[in-house]
Amino acid sequence: MFTAGCSVPRVFAKFSFPRLHLSSIHRNSMRGLTVDALNPAILNVQYAVRGELAIKAEEYRVQLKSGEPHDLPFTKVISSNIGNPQQAGLDQPPITFNRQIAALMEWPPLAELARDAFPEDAIARAKELQSEIGSIGAYSHSQGVPFIRKNVARFIEERDGYPSNPNHVFLTTGASAGVTLLISMLIANPKSGILIPIPQYPLYTATLAAHKGVGIPYHLNEEADWATSTPDIEAAIRKAVEQDGIVPKALVIINPGNPTGSLLDEATMRQVVRLCERHDLVLLADEVYQANLHARDTHPFTSFKKVVRALGSSVPLVSFHSISKGVTGECGRRGGYFECANISEDIIALMYKMVSIGLCPPLAGQVGVDCMVRPPRPGDASYALWKAETDATHAALAQRTKTMAARLNALPGVSCVDSPGALYLFPRVRLSAAAIEAARKLGKQPDTLYALELLDDTGICVVPGSGFGQKDGQYHYRLTCLCPGVEEYVGALERFHRKFVERYGGV
Ligand SMILES: Cc1ncc(COP(=O)(O)O)c(C=O)c1O
């Protein structure tokens, strides 16, 4: 199972991913350190979320901030390209309780010096953490503070109703670090492949490229609200094995989805687990958006851990979670965890060896994980405020998602699945032959042209669908539902779209 292979992700060649611009790099700028002399896998890495659009948006932001006269037709740049809730302009307020704990952990004397600023449960919680951790300026256990791992395991048990072993929980520097570790361990020879949903969050293809792994794409079904289809995964496996001689090692599921916002139902999850059993695959369940649900009653989240245990399955499962998303939104603290189920102790020991090279995840992130898995409970002094803050963030996200999807769907040539989860919408835009030709002349993907003109016209930065993968001849873009002032924001999107259609013609 964990004896894998390694190769370049050629299987992805038919999908459109923008390339890094290397022209600005001086190929022979330093003796001995030239681009040509580097690990070639690095040159294959592409990461659209922070690519061309984000770079240009940053230039505009600097230009606007400089106060110099400019001829930009907007007064601010809106970062709709990245799910970074607390970023300036998106301004999701941090949860007060979490920040109180963070402050007290940073400087314990605050508990006495500013006693009135902290509710008693926050002071008690911080003291408990201090006695378990000591100074947060010290390295911790490489797998994460044992006390916090126990709290994570309890959170998982309460969520799923099945036991969780704290020794099989790894605290990480965000979910990204856990994903990278798993991919690095699974890709061991040029034939190892990992099944990746299309569209996908580019962490997966980028990390696979860096580790010379093969991505095996399987398409999500846009017509069925971006559903995951096990027959389509089977077909992707057959093609990879029979035509390309690849050995599939693992299946990535992102649930709720990024960029699609889709949510798996339990029947599909059971089929996915059975498929992993049939094909001897490790299931990598990216569940970082598990708390971002816009219609909990009709679209609840179920973890893969629960489904695997309910089925009595022995499929090896690694589930990822993060403090970056949900209503916590603490991306910059870099906290997350993964839990291993049905994974042998010798593999866990190897994971431990690998994480210990990095010494430990940031303590601020570990404390953030503790706050996420141990929020205030009814009866605690902090509960009322915590509830009000988290309810407000959930409600704002749900309302923006609904408004944006409805308004986008009303535009000519645009269709948008109204997502039940995560932080994004992924509208499809039908582009005319003239728009496609204009993009070709510029050497750009058509949806990149659309996104660049949107940025130039409105200051709104989105990510072209080609950065996530999409079917040939289809064009999308991803935008976050995190921007306040949704009326103004969607109004600008609408005006731009109509102008674009006037300029290039509609479909
Ligand atoms: C699906 C998915 N997985 C993982 C991550 C990485 O999150 P983290 O900040 O925890 O590394 C993201 C970030 O946007 C994501 O969208």
Side-chain angles (χ1 to χ4, degrees):
M1 186 61 59
F2 268 72
T3 55
C6 112
S7 169
V8 183
R10 291 291 168 232
V11 181
F12 271 102
K14 71 192 262 268
F15 301 99
S16 40
F17 291 101
R19 296 202 59 82
L20 280 184
H21 293 279
L22 296 174
S23 53
S24 59
I25 299 174
H26 296 291
R27 289 191 164 256
N28 291 302
S29 56
M30 279 191 213
R31 194 176 291 274
L33 181 60
T34 64
V35 171
D36 294 339
L38 295 180
N39 175 353
I42 302 298
L43 306 185
N44 284 331
V45 171
Q46 294 160 44
Y47 192 72
V49 176
R50 289 185 180 235
E52 181 182 8
L53 267 293
I55 292 166
K56 196 169 188 199
E58 192 50 36
E59 284 166 9
Y60 284 155
R61 194 173 285 117
V62 170
Q63 198 179 340
L64 290 171
K65 203 171 169 196
S66 73
E68 300 290 319
H70 65 82
D71 54 5
L72 297 175
F74 47 85
T75 53
K76 63 179 178 207
V77 170
I78 299 176
S79 304
S80 211
N81 57 311
I82 184 162
N84 188 12
Q86 293 183 26
Q87 179 162 333
L90 305 181
D91 302 330
Q92 181 175 301
I95 294 172
T96 303
F97 178 77
N98 298 4
R99 286 303 178 89
Q100 286 169 336
I101 302 296
L104 291 165
M105 293 305 291
E106 287 291 333
W107 198 34
L110 267 185
E112 294 308 323
L113 292 171
R115 201 168 186 98
D116 293 346
F118 298 97
E120 65 201 36
D121 59 334
I123 291 182
R125 176 70 65 85
K127 285 210 167 116
E128 183 188 34
L129 282 168
Q130 282 151 14
S131 75
E132 293 289 341
I133 297 173
S135 167
I136 67 161
Y139 295 130
S140 71
H141 189 292
S142 296
Q143 200 171 336
V145 173
F147 176 72
I148 299 179
R149 281 189 282 121
K150 275 191 202 146
N151 294 331
V152 170
R154 200 169 308 126
F155 160 82
I156 294 169
E157 286 174 2
E158 282 177 18
R159 185 192 65 190
D160 298 338
Y162 290 95
S164 169
N165 182 347
N167 295 330
H168 294 174
V169 171
F170 285 72
L171 302 186
T172 54
T173 309
S176 310
V179 169
T180 303
L181 173 72
L182 264 293
I183 289 179
S184 73
M185 290 180 74
L186 284 160
I187 301 302
N189 73 50
K191 290 292 174 194
S192 301
I194 296 189
L195 286 139
I196 309 285
I198 295 296
Q200 53 106 29
Y201 174 57
L203 164 67
Y204 290 94
T205 39
T207 311
L208 267 167
H211 289 88
K212 300 182 185 162
V214 183
I216 309 171
Y218 66 91
H219 282 278
L220 305 178
N221 184 353
E222 184 168 12
E223 283 67 40
D225 295 344
W226 294 114
T228 298
S229 146
T230 44
D232 286 359
I233 301 176
E234 292 276 2
I237 294 174
R238 265 197 310 279
K239 180 176 173 299
V241 172
E242 288 164 19
Q243 288 183 21
D244 304 315
I246 290 161
V247 181
K249 310 293 293 184
L251 167 66
V252 173
I253 300 272
I254 307 175
N255 185 43
N258 177 5
T260 61
S262 61
L263 195 65
L264 265 69
D265 57 48
E266 284 191 40
T268 307
M269 294 173 83
R270 285 193 289 273
Q271 289 165 13
V272 165
V273 172
R274 294 300 186 211
L275 178 143
C276 290
E277 287 171 350
R278 281 196 298 282
H279 294 279
D280 208 13
L281 296 172
V282 179
L283 179 52
L284 301 176
D286 183 331
E287 298 175 337
V288 301
Y289 296 102
Q290 60 187 271
N292 293 116
L293 305 174
H294 312 323
R296 272 164 207 272
D297 296 342
T298 50
H299 291 81
F301 168 79
T302 305
S303 73
F304 264 110
K305 170 78 180 304
K306 184 173 180 182
V307 173
V308 164
R309 288 291 181 250
L311 288 173
S313 171
S314 58
V315 155
L317 168 71
V318 184
S319 316
F320 303 91
H321 196 10
S322 168
I323 63 169
S324 300
K325 314 297 171 182
V327 284
T328 321
E330 296 278 8
C331 298
R333 285 180 194 274
R334 311 307 297 131
Y337 73 79
F338 65 83
E339 185 201 21
C340 302
N342 296 331
I343 291 182
S344 63
E345 291 301 332
D346 53 342
I347 300 293
I348 300 276
L350 283 172
M351 287 177 175
Y352 177 70
K353 179 176 81 174
M354 295 312 290
V355 296
S356 55
I357 298 171
L359 298 165
C360 70
L363 269 292
Q366 297 191 48
V367 169
V369 171
D370 196 75
C371 292
M372 177 177 73
V373 299
R374 274 203 306 164
R377 303 266 183 181
D380 292 349
S382 298
Y383 180 73
L385 181 59
W386 176 87
K387 178 91 173 70
E389 289 175 341
T390 53
D391 283 354
T393 299
H394 281 304
L397 199 59
Q399 190 267 331
R400 279 186 222 123
T401 305
K402 206 172 159 60
T403 306
M404 285 163 60
R407 299 263 294 263
L408 286 166
N409 272 317
L411 285 174
V414 178
S415 57
C416 180
V417 174
D418 183 4
S419 72
L423 305 177
Y424 316 97
L425 287 172
F426 197 56
R428 178 170 173 197
V429 190
R430 271 90 181 160
L431 297 179
S432 66
I436 293 168
E437 178 55 17
R440 196 193 57 76
K441 282 194 184 138
L442 291 169
K444 305 227 176 271
Q445 293 291 335
D447 49 13
T448 302
L449 173 80
Y450 185 92
L452 281 168
E453 292 201 7
L454 173 67
L455 175 63
D456 292 344
D457 197 59
T458 63
I460 297 174
C461 181
V462 299
V463 189
S466 41
F468 303 94
Q470 57 197 347
K471 286 185 179 160
D472 287 339
Q474 292 192 354
Y475 308 107
H476 298 78
Y477 63 92
R478 186 193 77 171
L479 72 173
T480 69
C481 306
L482 291 163
C483 303
V486 72
E487 282 300 322
E488 181 195 339
Y489 171 72
V490 182
L493 282 175
E494 288 168 337
R495 279 190 297 283
F496 165 74
H497 182 76
R498 292 186 202 286
K499 259 200 264 177
F500 190 90
V501 171
E502 258 168 45
R503 183 162 174 204
Y504 294 106
V507 177

